[in-house]
Amino acid sequence: MQSLESAHGAMGHDPAAVEGRHLAPGTVRRAAALALPYRMMLTGFLAAQLLGALAFLVPPILFGRIIDEAIPAGDRWQLNVLAAIIVAAAFCEAGLSFIERWWSARIGEGLIFDLRVGLYDHVQRMPIAFFTHVQTGSLISRMNNDVIGAQRAFTGTLSSVVSNTIVLATTLVAMLALEWRLTLLALALLPVFIAPTKRVGRRLQALTRQSMEHNAAMNTVMTERLNVAGALLVKLFGRHDIERAGFSRSARTVRDIGVRSALYGRAFFIGLSLVGAVGAAMLYWVGAHLVISGALTVGTLVAMGLMVVRIYMPLTSLTNARVDVMTALVSFERVFAVLDLPNPIDDRSDAVELDSVDGRIELRDVTFTYPAADSQMLLALGGAPATPQQHSDTAAGPVLDSVSAVIEPGQTVALVGPSGAGKTTLAALIARLYDVDSGAVSIDGHDVRDVTSASLRSHIGVVSQDPHLFHDTIAANLRYARPGATDEELAAVCRAAHIDELIGSLPEGWNTVVGERGYRLSGGEKQRLAIARVLLKHPAIVVLDEATSHLDSENEALVQSALATALAGRTAVVIAHRLSTIADADQILVLDRGRLVEQGRHLELLAAEGLYADLYRTLVGTDEPAGVA
């Protein structure tokens, strides 16, 4: 279990180094391309924005006419008409604002839906090696925090940028038409708005990236500690206070970054607001002098005064929006980094469907070495580049070395050897959880790399030593193998796996929730439920990775009897643990240090006085089955 300090070190970066980073090339273009399917909605959104901006210009202009024309002339009819138009314009602007918000929400939420589903689909299709090198908390952070950050860019920032741009443009046109001298005076302060934006934007962008990385580290720690296994380990070692102290340090870092970000943003906003206030005061001061000299009417000055707010407010929002966009693009960058990770075990373009399988498995000179952590993957998930030391797992040589064997349809084959001999690895290659370095694994004459992964795995059922159950009901966990299975089919496979009596004794029966990873069940109960799930899948090939290791002798005998019937006519690859499986196997493959050193039946291998005989004597002499596993 990774310590909090190491998680902090892996996910955090030196602030200076982070600040010097720039967005990955193409981030803006790719983020914009996500909106292409929503072109019609964007058109409606822009139309509502434009009409709303025009509707806002009506009241200031009409207020000027009331002051300059209706009041001096004492024209009550004109006053009533102008007032009614002002009220109508206000209602129109409110309605358009609601429509605009509806469009922006539809676009933003739709984009995030696409992004989140695409990210989830890409990650869950990655090979198993990907999940052995990354942290679950980091992945969850990408799918939650980073996607939500991207969502804010579209639903909030995008709407603000477009709205303020339209308002600024239409207001400037109206002001220039009314009084060009005061308009130029108001624009004279424009450089003051733009100057601080670049520096503050970069700093807030760096702080945002740091915050995301530290939050990802915290998510990793919480994911590991706040599940049943992690919580149990913490309690057994009595590390509650140490864990709290470590988590407190990480949370304090996130808090301090948040405070700094808030202060930067607030100081920036206050500065721009002060500039806007000074600009409005200057406009009224100069405009008042023009009124006194007779060069300007009071109504025009009032209208200009109302409109100047519509210049400085959008300018303030737009300069803030630039900062928001820069920080939001960090979210897109982090999401795109994961989406860009290549899948080395993806289906080939010409891969064929494996419709039916007899179950013949052929291993031809199979050599395999576990891949080291890829630097691109580590960087994409916020870690440091791989060092030579991190690649040391490849220095020990291949896990499997030139292994060749043929398993005929319907045979039960046991894989035997010392710990680390490569038994589980060989079973994983059959299901193409990894790709061989050289040689080939074939099913019914088809190289597993030439068929689609989905069709291959639909014919293979696996029961691992530690089967995974979802935090759901017993029925839902079983139907994960075949969603359309009937209750009668569930009952049949549970009887075959000898788990039906247990289910019947539970108050909620099939609707009993098994808990996270099935922790409400004993080890043997989990194994039998997993066996039932595989039987429901009805595969042609079954891989049992020490599937009876958690069963007592009585339960093992029952399950072995059920498996003998259920596996009839199917090819079974069994990583052996108990003598009954080894003795009854049609063929036994003995592995040692990645090489196939012996092959034959139980009695033949005993007579050969090789490694298998040594393991068997050790097993019998100590009455401890683990020696053969």
Side-chain angles (χ1 to χ4, degrees):
M1 185 169 64
Q2 183 189 34
S3 68
L4 189 80
E5 293 82 0
S6 63
H8 181 281
M11 300 302 297
H13 294 286
D14 179 75
V18 173
E19 187 171 1
R21 288 178 56 189
H22 296 283
L23 288 172
T27 299
V28 176
R29 174 183 52 78
R30 294 179 65 182
L34 292 172
L36 289 178
Y38 300 89
R39 290 187 295 270
M40 296 302 296
M41 292 184 182
L42 280 169
T43 301
F45 168 74
L46 293 173
Q49 289 278 12
L50 179 59
L51 292 175
L54 293 175
F56 178 83
L57 293 176
V58 173
I61 295 173
L62 295 187
F63 279 132
R65 290 188 59 185
I66 288 174
I67 294 172
D68 288 342
E69 299 175 14
I71 293 177
D75 189 343
R76 295 179 183 273
W77 170 254
Q78 185 183 21
L79 176 62
N80 293 337
V81 171
L82 293 176
I85 295 175
I86 290 172
V87 172
F91 275 98
C92 181
E93 184 186 7
L96 289 168
S97 176
F98 183 82
I99 294 173
E100 168 269 316
R101 189 66 186 92
W102 183 75
W103 280 121
S104 72
R106 283 286 305 274
I107 296 168
E109 296 297 335
L111 286 166
I112 296 312
F113 170 81
D114 297 340
L115 194 60
R116 180 171 282 154
V117 172
L119 185 63
Y120 179 84
D121 180 65
H122 182 72
V123 168
Q124 60 99 23
R125 289 179 186 276
M126 294 295 285
I128 201 68
F130 171 84
F131 298 96
T132 63
H133 287 119
V134 304
Q135 298 166 319
T136 304
S138 180
L139 288 175
I140 292 174
S141 177
R142 295 300 166 103
M143 294 185 182
N144 287 331
N145 298 343
D146 294 349
V147 169
I148 289 173
Q151 179 187 33
R152 292 194 186 112
F154 276 109
T155 58
T157 306
L158 175 65
S159 175
S160 174
V161 169
V162 173
S163 174
N164 287 305
T165 300
I166 293 175
V167 167
L168 182 61
T170 54
T171 304
L172 281 175
V173 171
M175 289 179 66
L176 285 169
L178 283 175
E179 174 51 55
W180 64 271
R181 291 168 295 185
L182 292 182
T183 304
L184 293 180
L185 176 64
L187 292 176
L189 294 175
L190 184 60
V192 182
F193 285 90
I194 299 175
T197 305
K198 189 173 182 179
R199 177 173 175 79
V200 175
R202 285 181 177 175
R203 187 55 186 157
L204 282 176
Q205 183 181 4
L207 289 172
T208 299
R209 186 178 281 113
Q210 290 180 57
S211 178
M212 289 177 175
E213 290 169 351
H214 285 289
N215 270 297
M218 282 203 307
N219 282 340
T220 295
V221 173
M222 288 188 289
T223 301
E224 291 182 341
R225 270 62 168 186
L226 300 183
N227 59 46
V228 178
L232 179 62
L233 188 61
V234 171
K235 291 181 183 297
L236 292 177
F237 281 84
R239 290 180 59 90
H240 299 91
D241 293 339
I242 296 174
E243 289 291 338
R244 182 190 182 281
F247 186 82
S248 176
R249 285 192 294 272
S250 185
R252 187 180 299 114
T253 301
V254 173
R255 178 200 65 188
D256 293 343
I257 291 174
V259 171
R260 289 161 62 194
S261 297
L263 290 179
Y264 265 95
R266 178 55 60 180
F268 184 51
F269 185 81
I270 289 175
L272 295 179
S273 298
L274 288 174
V275 172
V278 171
M282 288 179 59
L283 183 139
Y284 276 109
W285 180 69
V286 174
H289 280 285
L290 292 175
V291 170
I292 292 172
S293 64
L296 190 69
T297 65
V298 175
T300 301
L301 177 60
V302 171
M304 293 290 290
L306 292 173
M307 289 185 186
V308 77
V309 178
R310 293 283 282 191
I311 290 182
Y312 290 132
M313 285 183 62
L315 281 174
T316 302
S317 297
L318 284 173
T319 48
N320 251 352
R322 182 179 184 277
V323 173
D324 292 340
V325 168
M326 291 175 67
T327 54
L329 285 174
V330 175
S331 298
F332 280 107
E333 178 189 42
R334 287 163 59 86
V335 171
F336 290 150
V338 178
L339 288 174
D340 289 341
L341 289 174
N343 186 349
I345 309 184
D346 204 1
D347 290 343
R348 294 175 176 174
S349 58
D350 57 348
V352 298
E353 295 286 331
L354 197 59
D355 295 326
S356 62
V357 169
D358 293 330
R360 187 178 191 273
I361 303 172
E362 183 179 0
L363 310 172
R364 297 193 302 272
D365 295 320
V366 170
T367 298
F368 174 77
T369 302
Y370 278 104
D374 181 73
S375 294
Q376 181 185 357
M377 179 178 65
L378 291 173
L379 287 172
L381 291 167
T387 63
Q389 290 76 17
Q390 289 173 309
H391 291 278
S392 61
D393 55 345
T394 64
V399 179
L400 293 173
D401 187 5
S402 302
V403 175
S404 296
V406 175
I407 303 172
E408 297 296 341
Q411 280 192 340
T412 295
V413 174
L415 302 181
V416 178
S419 177
K423 304 182 295 295
T424 298
T425 301
L426 187 59
L429 292 175
I430 295 174
R432 206 193 170 198
L433 298 180
Y434 299 92
D435 271 344
V436 298
D437 297 337
S438 61
V441 177
S442 298
I443 305 293
D444 288 359
H446 298 279
D447 191 317
V448 295
R449 293 167 293 188
D450 295 332
V451 300
T452 62
S453 298
S455 65
L456 170 67
R457 291 164 190 162
S458 68
H459 298 291
I460 299 175
V462 179
V463 179
S464 62
Q465 184 176 6
D466 183 22
H468 185 87
L469 298 177
F470 295 110
H471 185 76
D472 208 334
T473 64
I474 290 175
N477 273 284
L478 288 172
R479 286 196 172 98
Y480 196 79
R482 187 148 53 92
T486 64
D487 291 344
E488 291 75 16
E489 289 172 323
L490 297 187
V493 296
C494 287
R495 282 194 300 271
H498 294 276
I499 192 71
D500 56 322
E501 290 186 8
L502 169 70
I503 297 173
S505 68
L506 298 173
E508 297 180 68
W510 299 105
N511 294 321
T512 301
V513 176
V514 300
E516 185 178 8
R517 295 183 59 85
Y519 269 101
R520 293 183 62 186
L521 303 177
S522 70
E525 291 165 351
K526 286 172 56 179
Q527 288 285 19
R528 283 181 284 161
L529 194 61
I531 291 171
R533 182 169 59 187
V534 166
L535 293 177
L536 186 64
K537 187 178 181 180
H538 201 67
I541 299 172
V542 175
V543 177
L544 303 178
D545 188 352
E546 303 194 28
T548 61
S549 60
H550 292 301
L551 303 180
D552 55 35
S553 298
E554 180 181 356
N555 282 326
E556 183 201 5
L558 293 172
V559 173
Q560 289 288 5
S561 176
L563 286 175
T565 302
L567 299 181
R570 293 190 178 94
T571 303
V573 178
V574 182
I575 296 179
H577 184 81
R578 299 293 175 95
L579 282 175
S580 55
T581 304
I582 301 171
D584 296 338
D586 297 308
Q587 186 180 179
I588 298 173
L589 306 180
V590 185
L591 298 172
D592 185 27
R593 299 180 182 179
R595 300 186 67 88
L596 180 61
V597 295
E598 292 181 291
Q599 182 176 355
R601 294 181 65 89
H602 174 65
L603 294 178
E604 295 172 351
L605 294 176
L606 285 179
E609 291 293 330
L611 176 61
Y612 179 81
D614 292 340
L615 293 172
Y616 180 78
R617 279 193 292 267
T618 301
L619 171 64
V620 174
T622 61
D623 197 28
E624 173 56 57
V628 180

